[in-house]
Amino acid sequence: MPSITDNHKQAHIADKKPFKWQFLLPQYWLIWLMLALFLLLMYLPLRYQFWIGRKLGIILYHLLQGRRRDTLVNLRLAFPEKMEAERERMAKQVFVNQGIGIFETLCAWLRPNVFMRTFSISGLQHLVQAQQQGRAVLLLGAHYTMLDLGGRLFTQFAATDCVYRPQNNPLLDWFIYNGRRNIFDEQIDHSDMRKLVNRIKLGKIIWYSPDQDYGLKHGVMAPFFGVPAATVTAPRRLAKLGKKSTPPVVMALHTYRQTPDNMPKGKRPHYHLTITPIIDGYPSADEVADATRINEVLESLIRIDPTQWMWFHKRYKNTPNGRSDYYP
């Protein structure tokens, strides 16, 4: 049976980001220490990695008070029908899933074959149909705790580019970018619209995540879990590019872990990828209606297991009148 690396779909590997000697300065020593620790731990069996990830997530839940507070605010807004104790349980599980997600991400970059025979996919026919028509695909994703593992598993089926926002910390940006080189054909800076447009015109598959609050300069207010949220309108603009006879299609990709994080001895995790049908009639003449449709699609997928989405971002920080007062 071919391994994940043998079956990986990649048209080319992008050039590495060069190492900078400034990364050896004392301000980066703690990051190097943490990287060295995690790079060693990721060679443990998955069951032990998950155990460490759970413990790490619980520790971070208690240490990162600001992120915990933001998570609870988001869950209170999105799930007002739930009891406070249930939302606290969900918030803790978000951090647990993110702790495990660190190991899932590192393995996706550096030892992906550990995930052989651990995943399934549904909806692949929608992607195949678009490719047979020679159309570019705008593949809408979300910031799940296993973000890069989703990319690694999806590229078992098709070569893919991704749009990303560079990290504020240059060492982490260098490390993450070079790790993702093993997965994606091109990593496109979200501000590099020329490159993004060119890749779409070449008929590529572009993984794009429109689920965060980037303000209203290039967005509109649209409901997300029933709460007005600043929602980017870039997908509808990108969907108008290319040939008029074969414009890009828009669909969504969802990846989640179906098995409990506390795996019994001898068991392995299982992940499921879902590709939605093409979003028909998109874009329309109404940008708010289009943003609402995209949010509805992503929300329906996130609801499969809400704790596997990164609720610790300030999703509702902007309003038409400026910053919201949701976050202390």
Side-chain angles (χ1 to χ4, degrees):
M1 181 177 181
S3 68
I4 285 181
T5 50
D6 291 336
N7 197 49
H8 183 51
K9 306 297 188 297
Q10 192 170 26
H12 75 101
I13 299 178
D15 293 336
K16 285 185 176 182
K17 275 197 174 183
F19 182 85
K20 297 180 180 180
W21 291 109
Q22 72 186 59
F23 294 158
L24 300 179
L25 294 174
Q27 67 199 70
Y28 296 112
W29 288 358
L30 179 59
I31 296 176
W32 280 118
L33 179 63
M34 297 301 296
L35 288 176
L37 176 62
F38 281 110
L39 288 173
L40 287 174
L41 293 174
M42 77 171 191
Y43 285 96
L44 292 171
L46 282 177
R47 179 167 175 262
Y48 296 112
Q49 291 185 47
F50 278 33
W51 184 87
I52 296 170
R54 287 200 310 277
K55 299 300 183 184
L56 175 63
I58 292 171
I59 291 171
L60 293 177
Y61 176 79
H62 291 289
L63 285 181
L64 302 180
Q65 297 181 20
R67 291 289 190 178
R68 181 180 74 238
R69 183 175 58 247
D70 294 343
T71 301
L72 289 169
V73 168
N74 287 334
L75 292 174
R76 191 176 303 117
L77 292 168
F79 299 97
E81 74 282 3
K82 293 186 180 294
M83 300 293 290
E84 186 67 23
E86 174 64 9
R87 290 195 293 263
E88 289 179 0
R89 184 203 65 78
M90 292 174 66
K92 184 175 292 187
Q93 188 61 38
V94 169
F95 281 79
V96 166
N97 285 333
Q98 187 58 74
I100 294 170
I102 293 173
F103 291 101
E104 290 171 323
T105 295
L106 290 173
C107 288
W109 293 344
L110 302 173
R111 55 183 305 239
N113 290 333
V114 74
F115 296 110
M116 285 182 64
R117 299 184 297 277
T118 66
F119 61 96
S120 55
I121 188 169
S122 58
L124 184 59
Q125 71 273 15
H126 306 306
L127 179 70
V128 172
Q129 177 186 357
Q131 290 184 302
Q132 289 175 341
Q133 296 172 357
R135 303 173 74 175
V137 175
L138 192 61
L139 194 66
L140 302 181
H143 285 79
Y144 303 114
T145 55
M146 63 191 72
L147 188 63
D148 284 25
L149 177 56
R152 168 62 81 172
L153 298 181
F154 177 76
T155 50
Q156 291 291 282
F157 306 96
T160 308
D161 295 346
C162 76
V163 178
Y164 78 105
R165 186 184 71 81
Q167 299 293 313
N168 295 329
N169 184 291
L171 174 56
L172 287 178
D173 188 63
W174 170 83
F175 184 73
I176 292 171
Y177 182 93
N178 287 333
R180 288 175 174 167
R181 286 176 62 250
N182 299 320
I183 298 176
F184 301 105
D185 281 12
E186 291 286 350
Q187 297 178 63
I188 306 168
D189 188 321
H190 70 152
S191 64
D192 190 352
M193 292 303 296
R194 176 177 294 181
K195 184 175 183 180
L196 178 54
V197 169
N198 287 339
R199 297 297 287 178
I200 288 177
K201 289 182 176 179
L202 288 172
K204 303 299 182 180
I205 299 172
I206 314 290
W207 186 0
Y208 187 96
S209 297
D211 61 332
Q212 292 193 320
D213 186 334
Y214 293 114
L216 293 174
K217 184 177 181 181
H218 300 292
V220 296
M221 297 300 293
F224 184 69
F225 282 84
V227 182
T231 304
V232 295
T233 55
R236 70 189 304 272
R237 297 193 298 272
L238 297 173
K240 297 178 181 180
L241 300 175
K243 298 178 182 178
K244 290 185 178 180
S245 59
T246 54
V249 299
V250 180
M251 56 185 70
L253 172 68
H254 176 65
T255 309
Y256 76 107
R257 187 188 331 106
Q258 290 183 310
T259 46
D261 53 67
N262 187 12
M263 290 187 297
K265 186 176 181 180
K267 298 293 183 179
R268 291 165 59 77
H270 188 270
Y271 303 89
H272 187 72
L273 287 72
T274 300
I275 302 174
T276 69
I278 295 169
I279 302 176
D280 291 329
Y282 181 92
S284 70
D286 187 334
E287 62 180 1
V288 174
D290 287 344
T292 300
R293 287 187 70 191
I294 295 302
N295 281 352
E296 287 174 348
V297 170
L298 295 180
E299 178 183 332
S300 68
L301 297 171
I302 291 169
R303 282 185 181 276
I304 293 172
D305 184 349
T307 65
Q308 293 188 36
W309 191 70
M310 298 180 183
W311 287 98
F312 40 76
H313 295 296
K314 293 181 179 180
R315 184 63 185 92
Y316 304 106
K317 66 183 177 183
N318 284 295
T319 72
N321 300 317
R323 291 297 180 107
S324 72
D325 58 2
Y326 292 133
Y327 306 98

